[in-house]
Amino acid sequence: MLYRRRTLDLSRGALETPVLFPVRNIGKRSSDNTPEYVGTIPEFSVAMINTRSIRNREPMWNRLTDGVPLRKEMDVPEDTIVFADSGGFDFSSGDVDTTPAQTLDTQRQLDADIYGTVDLPLSRENRDAENDRRVEQSTKYALEASDLHDGDSLLIASVHGYDPQTVRNNIRYLEKNGHFDGYALGSMVPIRTDYKKVSKLILAARTATDKHLHVYGLGGLVYQPLLLYLGVDSFDSSAFIRSAGNRNYLVPGFGGEALRNVESMEYLPCPCPVCGQRCLDDIREDRTALTQHNLWALATELRRFRYVAESDRDIEEYLDLRFQGNPVTQRAYETAKQQVRRLS
C-alpha cells in the first residue's frame, strides 16, 4: 500500500494531501457558473483551472488584466488554492497555440499557486511515431518552463507515456535535467476504461519519484480509491459537473446512478447538506443542487478512505469489498495489489 499523507507549503498556506482539485469551467463559458463549494466543503478550498481557456476568453481576460483578481472573478475567497494547468487536453486534436513562456506568464498573472507545464496528450488513434514526438515535445516544454520559472509557485511537470518504461524514463530524465516540485501524469482520460493499463502507468510514475504526483482527469468515484492506494498525492475531476448534466447521482462506494432509475424513492441515500433534507423531486429539478451533491459524494469517498487508513484498518480488505461489485475494476485492483506487494 503506497497511500501517503503530505503537506504542500504554499504562499496561501499549507495544503494537506491527498487532495482532489475540482475542475472549474471558468473560461469555458462566458462566466464561471461552477456551483458554490469553496467554504462549504472544508477540504475543497482548491480549484483546477485551464490557463489556455481563460486567456482565450477575451472579455474575461481583459477584466483580469485590467486588475480584477482571478479569485474575485471566480467568486471564491482570496485564500483559495488554484492549480492552473496549461489546457493541454485542448491540444489532443489541435495545434499548440502557446509557448512555455506565454503559459508561465499567464499563470503568474492569474496568481495561481501551482503551475502545470505545457503538454501534448497522447491518443489511442495516433501512430507510435506521432506519440513519440508528443512525449518528446512535452518533455522539451517542461524543461523550457523549468529554465524560465522563478520559483514563485510550485512547478509541476506534465508527463506522458504509453507504457511504464516510457513514464519512468521521462520522469527520471526531467528530474536529472530540470527543477520541478512534482509531476503530473496525463493522457489518462482516453484510456480510463483500461484500468489495468492506467494502474501500471501510475505505479511507474509513483516509483520513479518521491516528489508530489498528480494525475490529470481521473478523480471520479471509481478511480479515487485506486489512486489513493497507489500513492497519488492529488488528482482533479469534472465528474461532478458532467454527471449532473446527465442527471446522474453519484453514490459514494458505488458510482453514478441515473435518477430515472430510482423514481419510486422519496429521499435519496445521501445525508449530505445538499440533499439530506430534500426529496428526490426537488433534487431532480435543481441541477445546481445535484452538482453540489455530486461534489459532496467525491468528498465522502475521499474521507472514507482516509478514515480506513487513519483508523489502522486493513485498506486492502476495504478495497476488496469496494471493488467486488465490478469485475473490471476488481481485476485492475488485484493487479495493482500484486505489483505493490512486490515492491515491499
Side-chain angles (χ1 to χ4, degrees):
M1 203 268 290
L2 301 177
Y3 169 75
R4 64 185 200 172
R5 294 187 64 179
R6 298 287 178 92
T7 301
L8 291 180
D9 293 320
L10 304 169
S11 60
R12 285 182 171 77
L15 177 63
E16 302 296 328
T17 66
V19 63
L20 165 69
F21 286 86
V23 175
R24 299 190 68 108
N25 57 24
I26 181 170
K28 289 289 186 182
R29 297 170 179 268
S30 58
S31 62
D32 180 15
N33 62 354
T34 305
E36 178 182 358
Y37 67 84
V38 177
T40 302
I41 304 178
E43 62 267 54
F44 287 168
S45 294
V46 294
M48 170 70 80
I49 60 171
N50 181 322
T51 301
R52 176 181 181 274
S53 294
I54 295 174
R55 189 185 61 243
N56 288 352
R57 178 69 67 175
E58 188 173 347
M60 180 181 293
W61 184 238
N62 289 340
R63 287 194 298 275
L64 293 169
T65 53
D66 283 343
V68 176
L70 171 70
R71 290 160 184 80
K72 184 176 181 180
E73 182 77 18
M74 295 165 65
D75 195 23
V76 297
E78 176 54 29
D79 61 356
T80 302
I81 292 171
V82 171
F83 187 149
D85 73 8
S86 70
F89 196 70
D90 296 341
F91 307 140
S92 298
S93 56
D95 295 332
V96 179
D97 58 1
T98 187
T99 64
Q102 185 180 20
T103 295
L104 272 179
D105 185 58
T106 304
Q107 289 163 331
R108 288 192 189 104
Q109 292 189 65
L110 294 174
D111 198 16
D113 303 280
I114 304 173
Y115 303 165
T117 62
V118 178
D119 58 319
L120 272 172
L122 313 180
S123 91
R124 282 182 161 177
E125 288 72 31
N126 287 332
R127 296 175 182 275
D128 289 347
E130 170 61 11
N131 276 337
D132 284 341
R133 185 190 72 80
R134 287 171 173 255
V135 169
E136 185 177 345
Q137 189 62 53
S138 295
T139 301
K140 289 180 178 177
Y141 285 148
L143 292 175
E144 191 173 338
S146 172
D147 291 339
L148 296 167
H149 185 234
D150 58 10
D152 52 343
S153 295
L154 296 191
L155 182 64
I156 303 294
S158 302
V159 175
H160 301 277
Y162 37 77
D163 58 63
Q165 190 62 42
T166 302
V167 170
R168 273 193 296 269
N169 290 345
N170 202 0
I171 290 177
R172 288 168 179 164
Y173 182 80
L174 289 168
E175 185 70 10
K176 183 178 180 181
N177 294 282
H179 300 281
F180 302 101
D181 299 290
Y183 300 90
L185 187 60
S187 300
M188 296 291 101
V189 173
I191 59 170
R192 62 183 179 276
T193 57
D194 191 342
Y195 290 90
K196 289 178 69 172
K197 182 173 184 178
V198 169
S199 299
K200 290 179 179 178
L201 294 174
I202 293 173
L203 190 58
R206 179 69 288 165
T207 54
T209 180
D210 191 50
K211 289 184 176 178
H212 186 91
L213 178 62
H214 182 92
V215 171
Y216 286 132
L218 288 186
L221 278 183
V222 176
Y223 260 110
Q224 260 198 43
L226 198 56
L227 299 182
L228 295 167
Y229 178 72
L230 293 172
V232 175
D233 300 298
S234 64
F235 30 88
D236 60 87
S237 177
S238 60
F240 64 107
I241 297 175
R242 290 184 286 103
S243 294
N246 294 325
R247 293 296 188 268
N248 278 331
Y249 183 86
L250 300 184
V251 184
F254 290 88
E257 182 66 64
L259 288 178
R260 65 176 180 275
N261 295 336
V262 292
E263 287 184 344
S264 62
M265 294 183 68
E266 183 176 2
Y267 292 99
L268 290 160
C270 178
C272 80
V274 177
C275 55
Q277 301 293 322
R278 302 176 63 177
C279 65
L280 170 57
D281 286 342
D282 284 347
I283 300 296
R284 181 189 291 111
E285 299 303 321
D286 187 345
R287 180 170 169 174
T288 296
L290 181 56
T291 305
Q292 290 173 317
H293 155 76
N294 284 344
L295 199 48
W296 268 107
L298 295 177
T300 302
E301 188 79 45
L302 182 54
R303 289 183 183 188
R304 185 176 294 175
F305 192 103
R306 284 175 170 165
Y307 163 72
V308 173
E310 299 300 320
S311 60
D312 288 330
R313 285 170 166 75
D314 188 327
I315 287 181
E316 291 187 347
E317 187 175 282
Y318 164 68
L319 293 180
D320 287 339
L321 293 171
R322 176 67 179 79
F323 290 118
Q324 70 176 358
N326 185 323
V328 176
T329 55
Q330 186 178 33
R331 284 196 295 273
Y333 165 61
E334 291 297 331
T335 300
K337 184 163 63 174
Q338 292 170 13
Q339 291 180 305
V340 168
R341 286 180 173 180
R342 282 198 290 269
L343 295 174
S344 60

